[in-house]
Amino acid sequence: DLEMRRTIVFFNHEARRWETMGNTVLNKSVEVCEGARAYAHSQADLRRRMSLHCRTLWKDVVLDSELKGSHL
């Protein structure tokens, strides 16, 4: 269950990282910046959906461990 929770945390972290990267494209043309932002947004969305998918699949296991008092 610890690895499951770490996986969810990782996907959430990666989503935030992609969001940040999408906002840091500098010194490029407007078109390149827009494309980079769109790509970063789609990657962040993918990571959020992966996190949600894992939470859905593992909800009973992760909830059981949280009820027992284990922490990350």
Side-chain angles (χ1 to χ4, degrees):
D1 64 325
L2 180 60
E3 288 302 317
M4 291 175 183
R5 287 185 288 137
R6 285 182 176 168
T7 299
I8 293 167
V9 168
F10 173 75
F11 286 141
N12 292 333
H13 167 75
E14 287 294 296
R16 288 188 301 274
R17 191 173 71 85
W18 275 105
E19 289 167 351
T20 300
M21 284 193 297
N23 295 323
T24 59
V25 178
L26 303 173
N27 300 323
K28 303 291 180 189
S29 69
V30 172
E31 293 83 8
V32 170
C33 288
E34 288 176 357
R37 275 193 295 272
Y39 181 76
H41 176 74
S42 70
Q43 291 299 309
D45 183 60
L46 174 64
R47 277 19 176 232
R48 281 190 294 275
R49 286 186 285 124
M50 292 167 74
S51 174
L52 178 60
H53 181 71
C54 289
R55 278 184 276 159
T56 301
L57 288 176
W58 301 333
K59 68 181 177 183
D60 295 331
V61 175
V62 173
L63 286 176
D64 284 347
S65 70
E66 289 173 355
L67 292 173
K68 293 175 186 172
S70 66
H71 302 284
L72 268 179

